Amino acid sequence: MTIAFHPDISTLMAWSAGTLDEPFAVVVSTHMAMCEACRETARRTDLIGGALLKAETAEPMSDGALERLLEAADDERIDLPEPRGSDSVDPSVPQPLARYLPDGLDAVKWKFSGPGVATCELPTGTNANGRLMLLRVGAGKRVPEHGHGGQELTLILRGAYGDRFGRFAAGDLADHDEDVEHQPIAEPGEDCICLVAVDARLNFRSRVIRTLQPLFGF
Amino acid sequence: MYALSMSDERQKPGPSGQTEADPAALLDRVARDRDKAALAELFAIFAPRIKSMMMKLGADAALAEDLAQETLLSVWRKAHLYVAGRGAVATWIFTIARNLRIDQLRRQSNKPYVDLESIEIESDARGAPSLLEESEIVDRVSRAIETLSPEQREVVRLSFVHELPHAEIAVRVGIPLGTVKSRLRLAYDRLRPMLEDLH
């Protein structure tokens, strides 16, 4: 898989630091499952965390902590590698997304959100601030032009779309800040299905389009 | 006021004042021999540091200690999954602590993080292993971090040690979100050549 668009390095650093809001962490993890280059970059950014942990000052553990650990270690349980992809019936769903989509992409219950556009919100933990959703744009259809009130990550799972930044196909990730406006158009031939994390209300430019705000469920 | 401890970045000697054992050798003893003495040494090196990091990001002492304990117990149970030569043991333990914190502190029902090794376990596209010793890797990364400007090091520490989201760093430091991101980008550009052959 040739991947042309990746998360911004500051987004990957936040992934390594563990500070991404859950919907964003899911999108980045899913991209990583598809992108060897970003897995390599994450190993480098993880090193920053390792070195800073090693340089941390020691906060003494309480008496008996070591004994309790060794006692717990008596239980000979070991962790097996996490099985790859088996959390979903759909082998095309990458492992990090499988927990959110156990029945696969073909079983998604789509909600009509405008001409040629459908969405499905995926449940996240109660501490998530942003929202995680699937977006399906019919072949040849366009997503209304929109800006962003905050960061938006869009990972293409199937099909492809084009906008002023280029052509985004499966595995590509669009990492847009609040000051970006764009109008993606799905390529003819196949519906384009994306995994999207948004942390703020999208800001559609035209009044007609504003009636499509349910597009993202707000 | 928020005090950043810039001066505590030097490696501390072990509890006995002697040089600490090589964590990679200790982890190997845990994986192959189920050696509890080696686990105890890893505990001595890492548990107090994990506890300190967890307290900096807002956990109280009891929770921070629980997370440190859980991390070391995971080290015991996952030791056989560590791939030697894929980076420092300190990095591997940092990622275990990070994932536990995300799952427990935020009480998330889902697990948005996956182990990179588990994604790659059946992948044939594995990078070349590093030939450097554990301590050399950590020293080189630490020295690289020292070369950052104070502004860059501040945002890196607030992100990785205090584990603040970028938007909160912006508020804490009093700079726009875009400046937080650009400082992190500049920091990475600076670190990158020094990180390149270390993983």
Side-chain angles (χ1 to χ4, degrees):
Chain A
M1 191 180 298
T2 309
I3 294 174
F5 296 95
H6 306 274
D8 186 83
I9 187 64
S10 64
T11 303
L12 281 179
M13 289 170 95
W15 185 92
S16 268
T19 63
L20 287 179
D21 189 30
E22 182 184 347
F24 293 84
V26 176
V27 177
V28 173
S29 294
T30 306
H31 171 77
M32 272 186 200
M34 304 163 95
C35 181
E36 169 69 17
C38 284
R39 289 200 295 274
E40 286 304 306
T41 305
R43 287 183 197 293
R44 291 197 280 274
T45 50
D46 280 354
L47 280 170
I48 300 170
L52 290 173
L53 172 63
K54 201 72 199 298
E56 222 10 68
T57 43
E59 186 68 42
M61 297 287 282
S62 58
D63 292 344
L66 175 61
E67 288 68 26
R68 285 195 296 279
L69 172 69
L70 295 178
E71 211 169 289
D74 273 336
D75 160 13
E76 272 301 309
R77 220 181 88 196
I78 57 164
D79 286 2
L80 300 172
E82 294 182 43
R84 223 170 145 243
S86 66
D87 292 353
S88 175
V89 297
D90 182 348
S92 76
V93 173
Q95 187 205 36
L97 182 58
R99 295 188 179 96
Y100 296 82
L101 211 54
D103 300 324
L105 270 183
D106 294 321
V108 170
K109 291 188 176 59
W110 294 102
K111 192 176 119 195
F112 173 82
S113 298
V117 179
T119 56
C120 172
E121 185 146 350
L122 301 178
T124 50
T126 49
N127 289 296
N129 293 314
R131 313 178 81 158
L132 180 68
M133 63 195 77
L134 292 166
L135 169 68
R136 187 185 69 192
V137 186
K141 303 288 188 196
R142 66 183 58 211
V143 177
E145 184 170 10
H146 59 281
H148 306 106
Q151 195 182 17
E152 178 188 298
L153 293 180
T154 304
L155 172 67
I156 290 69
L157 298 174
R158 260 189 210 168
Y161 76 71
D163 67 9
R164 65 191 178 89
F165 297 101
R167 176 180 187 268
F168 291 76
D172 283 325
L173 185 146
D175 185 347
H176 290 316
D177 267 343
E178 51 195 335
D179 46 359
V180 165
E181 290 183 1
H182 67 145
Q183 185 171 35
I185 303 175
E187 288 189 349
E190 187 183 10
D191 289 353
C192 181
I193 298 179
C194 310
L195 178 68
V196 184
V198 282
D199 70 358
R201 190 183 180 90
L202 292 184
N203 166 31
F204 288 97
R205 287 180 64 71
S206 83
R207 196 173 53 80
V208 179
I209 289 312
R210 229 169 273 144
T211 63
L212 292 179
Q213 287 247 332
L215 175 63
F216 286 97
F218 294 107
Chain B
M1 192 51 212
Y2 201 66
L4 267 182
S5 40
M6 294 291 186
S7 56
D8 63 11
E9 293 184 10
R10 207 143 294 112
Q11 191 171 330
K12 288 267 157 60
S16 59
Q18 297 163 349
T19 314
E20 286 166 349
D22 175 25
L26 293 172
L27 189 60
D28 191 49
R29 278 163 57 195
V30 169
R32 283 188 309 144
D33 310 328
R34 307 307 282 156
D35 182 341
K36 284 193 174 175
L39 177 66
E41 284 194 63
L42 286 171
F43 173 93
I45 298 170
F46 288 104
R49 289 168 169 144
I50 296 165
K51 182 179 176 185
S52 170
M53 211 180 232
M54 294 297 174
M55 288 176 74
K56 284 197 174 129
L57 62 95
D60 62 28
L63 179 58
E65 189 154 319
D66 282 352
L67 284 163
Q69 288 276 47
E70 278 297 309
T71 302
L72 268 297
L73 189 58
S74 281
V75 167
W76 175 253
R77 290 177 175 163
K78 288 180 193 287
H80 61 292
L81 299 176
Y82 173 75
V83 181
R86 285 316 292 265
V89 170
T91 303
W92 185 66
I93 292 179
F94 169 80
T95 63
I96 291 175
R98 172 195 71 197
N99 295 359
L100 282 170
R101 170 190 59 87
I102 291 168
D103 292 345
Q104 294 186 10
L105 221 53
R106 295 183 178 174
R107 286 195 211 91
Q108 288 183 340
S109 52
N110 295 303
K111 293 183 190 321
Y113 275 76
V114 290
D115 188 350
L116 286 179
E117 298 300 342
S118 79
I119 292 177
E120 290 199 326
I121 209 124
E122 292 174 24
S123 161
D124 46 9
R126 320 193 84 165
S130 165
L131 298 172
L132 294 172
E133 294 282 322
E134 164 90 13
S135 58
E136 195 178 345
I137 296 175
V138 172
D139 286 351
R140 276 175 58 171
V141 178
S142 299
R143 282 202 304 274
I145 292 169
E146 295 284 343
T147 70
L148 298 176
S149 73
E151 291 80 14
Q152 290 166 1
R153 199 164 47 204
E154 180 184 41
V155 292
V156 166
R157 286 188 61 83
L158 286 172
S159 181
F160 280 84
V161 180
H162 300 261
E163 302 190 16
L164 293 178
H166 293 170
E168 287 181 34
I169 295 175
V171 172
R172 198 64 70 90
V173 181
I175 53 177
L177 178 59
T179 307
V180 174
K181 291 186 181 187
S182 60
R183 281 185 190 172
L184 286 168
R185 284 184 204 117
L186 288 169
Y188 184 74
D189 284 347
R190 182 106 197 215
L191 296 175
R192 182 178 176 156
M194 294 175 267
L195 300 179
E196 208 106 80
D197 54 346
L198 289 185
H199 56 88

